[in-house]
Amino acid sequence: SQTIHQWPATLVQPVGSPLSLECTVEGTSNPNLYWYRQAAGRGLQLLFYSVGIGQISSEVPQNLSASRPQDRQFILSSKKLLLSDSGFYLCAWSVLTQDYEKLFFGSGTQLSVL
Amino acid sequence: DAKTTQPPSMDCAEGRAANLPCNHSTISGNEYVYWYRQIHSQGPQYIIHGLKNNETNEMASLIITEDRKSSTLILPHATLRDTAVYYCIVMPGNTPLVFGKGTRLSVIA
């Protein structure tokens, strides 16, 4: 069966510090991978998605970046965190079956930038 | 730029059916209707999706009107564990999903 691992579960970082969140998927090949963010009291915002190694699409220009160094690994990074980067970060994967998408989400990382 | 309209909140008595409406009057022929839910502090969970026909699975039923301009998610026997935010999403296939604000369903004992 497929599983998705996302860590850490919680993170407190000072403003201006770097960030690296990692997500890995097991039990499937060539998944589509996604990073979403949910600010306090708001909906989910799509940040990045990837359909293959090295292929990254950015939905919202900001000081975050994403990389996919391996087929089942997706990394979210920042060189210098801002207060506005605080939120609940979720990684998700999907495999296109037929022509619809079914997303499976990780357990999320609660990031607090102070 | 939301494609769907959902009530911000609803209450449902435990054991009763929860009927969550969604309006998507501008839906295109190639767009699916997806439903996800998010329990507090967890990632969203897929519930069901449909294109034209009504659908049923072990979690819920999806009723899509004939003109496809609205749909209803039905949880046949709501339990306290069904308390969550429910998202109705309309997107073409092969397109990353965009989540709106959803409906906060509170199941009351």
Side-chain angles (χ1 to χ4, degrees):
Chain A
S1 63
Q2 301 90 355
T3 56
I4 179 169
H5 301 281
Q6 190 179 343
W7 66 92
T10 59
L11 189 60
V12 180
Q13 292 285 100
V15 170
S17 64
L19 173 73
S20 180
L21 301 180
E22 187 165 345
C23 171
T24 59
V25 180
E26 296 179 355
T28 187
S29 297
N30 195 30
N32 296 328
L33 296 172
Y34 309 82
W35 280 110
Y36 286 85
R37 178 175 64 194
Q38 188 169 36
R42 302 185 67 178
L44 278 79
Q45 179 186 30
L46 177 63
L47 300 176
F48 301 95
Y49 69 95
S50 171
V51 298
I53 296 174
Q55 301 178 61
I56 308 295
S57 296
S58 174
E59 293 297 303
V60 182
Q62 52 202 328
N63 67 321
L64 299 173
S65 63
S67 62
R68 184 171 178 173
Q70 300 182 40
D71 180 46
R72 291 170 290 177
Q73 183 185 29
F74 207 23
I75 298 172
L76 182 70
S77 303
S78 174
K79 293 182 179 178
K80 289 185 178 182
L81 284 168
L82 307 173
L83 287 174
S84 58
D85 291 324
S86 293
F88 190 44
Y89 287 80
L90 288 155
C91 180
W93 72 273
S94 72
V95 175
L96 278 177
T97 54
Q98 299 180 353
D99 58 355
Y100 61 86
E101 284 210 322
K102 182 177 178 180
L103 293 180
F104 298 89
F105 284 84
S107 54
T109 295
Q110 185 63 54
L111 172 66
S112 298
V113 182
L114 305 176
Chain B
D1 61 344
K3 294 184 178 181
T4 63
T5 302
Q6 297 179 255
S9 64
M10 292 181 62
D11 292 338
C12 178
E14 188 178 21
R16 303 295 296 269
N19 297 284
L20 291 92
C22 181
N23 288 323
H24 31 80
S25 59
T26 61
I27 190 171
S28 299
N30 67 337
E31 292 183 316
Y32 286 87
V33 179
Y34 299 88
W35 282 86
Y36 283 74
R37 74 180 182 183
Q38 185 177 21
I39 296 171
H40 184 61
S41 299
Q42 298 182 20
Q45 176 190 24
Y46 166 88
I47 302 173
I48 199 167
H49 78 279
L51 185 61
K52 295 181 180 179
N53 300 321
N54 298 337
E55 302 288 344
T56 296
N57 63 20
E58 66 279 4
M59 291 183 67
S61 295
L62 173 60
I63 308 299
I64 303 175
T65 58
E66 189 169 350
D67 62 8
R68 301 186 69 234
K69 293 185 177 181
S70 66
S71 61
T72 301
L73 178 74
I74 301 173
L75 307 179
H77 304 287
T79 70
L80 297 177
R81 286 177 292 182
D82 292 322
T83 293
V85 177
Y86 286 77
Y87 299 98
C88 171
I89 303 166
V90 168
M91 296 292 289
N94 305 337
T95 305
L97 299 184
V98 176
F99 290 75
K101 295 182 179 180
T103 295
R104 182 173 299 278
L105 175 68
S106 298
V107 180
I108 302 168

